[in-house]
Amino acid sequence: MIFKIKNIIILLFIILAAWIGWNSYFYFFDSTMPCIIIEGIEDGRSYCGDLSCTIKGEHKYKISTVSICLNGHPLIDQFNVNNKKFERVFSVDTRSLPKDKHILKVVALAKSFHGNKSEIKREFKVDNIPLQAAFLRPEDTYKIYQGRTLHIQFQVNKQIDSANLNIFSKTFKCFAESQDSLIYECFVPVDCEEQPQNYPFSINICDCVGNKLVLNGTVVIVAYPFKRQTINVSPDKIKQEQEEGKDPNILQQR
């Protein structure tokens, strides 16, 4: 019985020594930096309202502290982690920020002897302005002849992500009139045989934070008096052309 207890004590001592040696090795000799990621925010994107983010990190030994700064001002200052892995959720009220570019910085410090740290940044924009848009011309003034090109313009109150016009069971993309312009336009070709009547159309607009707006209008297709010419071809002529078409050499000679 005493022999078994002695063996168990020796085994526990070996396990403890191995654990201490393993951790001591990582503490003194590991020079890797903490691995950290941010979820919920991406570079170059625009956000509104409450921005919810999650920070995750890990290190072979331990992460000592984590700090979060927004535009150089601390949101979380040296939060004590003292663990190999961590996960922290935090939020940013973008309504209190100006409509401009902002920088979120996260710094994680390893608890190893070297004290290596990792730093990541996310540059984002804030957009809490309600989306508004209007046609440059009254909705009832859109008239176009058959075979012409319909030109529709509208103005928005801020930069948008996309705008698409739906008409004739087709979708057409809208583009800014010029770089950084708030006036958007769309060119729609009208078929020569499009039936003369009123056609409803809609423009689906989406801003950079996902707000959506729909503009509805109507376009009148007016019949155009195209010149017409009738050609009468006799059955004998058709038969002759068919026979000559069988041999390309005959057509080449003629």
Side-chain angles (χ1 to χ4, degrees), residues 155-203:
Q155 186 170 6
V156 291
N157 64 327
K158 59 179 179 178
Q159 295 295 327
I160 62 175
D161 181 61
S162 64
N164 296 291
L165 187 147
N166 301 301
I167 190 173
F168 306 137
S169 299
K170 299 178 181 178
T171 301
F172 301 87
K173 190 173 180 62
C174 303
F175 297 91
E177 187 181 43
S178 59
Q179 187 176 2
D180 298 328
S181 174
L182 297 181
I183 297 177
Y184 283 73
E185 58 188 359
C186 186
F187 296 89
V188 180
V190 179
D191 194 83
C192 295
E193 298 179 356
E194 196 70 62
Q195 187 69 25
Q197 62 182 36
N198 293 353
Y199 289 89
F201 68 87
S202 62
I203 301 177

Side-chain angles (χ1 to χ4, degrees), residues 79-228:
F79 171 72
N80 187 31
V81 176
N82 194 28
N83 209 333
K84 289 185 178 182
K85 294 184 179 181
F86 81 96
E87 182 174 326
R88 179 69 186 257
V89 178
F90 69 97
S91 62
V92 177
D93 185 6
T94 64
R95 291 178 288 265
S96 63
L97 300 176
K99 188 179 182 297
D100 200 356
K101 291 183 179 180
H102 304 277
I103 298 177
L104 182 74
K105 183 173 71 172
V106 178
V107 178
L109 181 66
K111 201 170 184 178
S112 59
F113 178 78
H114 296 281
N116 295 324
K117 66 178 181 180
S118 294
E119 179 181 304
I120 55 175
K121 294 181 180 180
R122 292 290 184 271
E123 186 176 290
F124 65 98
K125 299 178 182 178
V126 169
D127 183 5
N128 287 292
I129 301 175
L131 176 61
Q132 297 178 354
F135 291 108
L136 288 187
R137 294 191 298 168
E139 302 173 22
D140 57 354
T141 60
Y142 289 105
K143 291 184 179 181
I144 191 72
Y145 283 112
Q146 294 170 312
R148 301 292 177 89
T149 300
L150 174 64
H151 182 209
I152 295 178
Q153 290 181 306
F154 63 93
Q155 186 170 6
V156 291
N157 64 327
K158 59 179 179 178
Q159 295 295 327
I160 62 175
D161 181 61
S162 64
N164 296 291
L165 187 147
N166 301 301
I167 190 173
F168 306 137
S169 299
K170 299 178 181 178
T171 301
F172 301 87
K173 190 173 180 62
C174 303
F175 297 91
E177 187 181 43
S178 59
Q179 187 176 2
D180 298 328
S181 174
L182 297 181
I183 297 177
Y184 283 73
E185 58 188 359
C186 186
F187 296 89
V188 180
V190 179
D191 194 83
C192 295
E193 298 179 356
E194 196 70 62
Q195 187 69 25
Q197 62 182 36
N198 293 353
Y199 289 89
F201 68 87
S202 62
I203 301 177
N204 297 315
I205 306 170
C206 182
D207 66 9
C208 298
V209 293
N211 296 319
K212 296 181 180 181
L213 182 67
V214 179
L215 292 178
N216 295 304
T218 302
V219 60
V220 180
I221 304 300
V222 182
Y224 186 80
F226 292 102
K227 293 183 179 181
R228 299 179 181 271

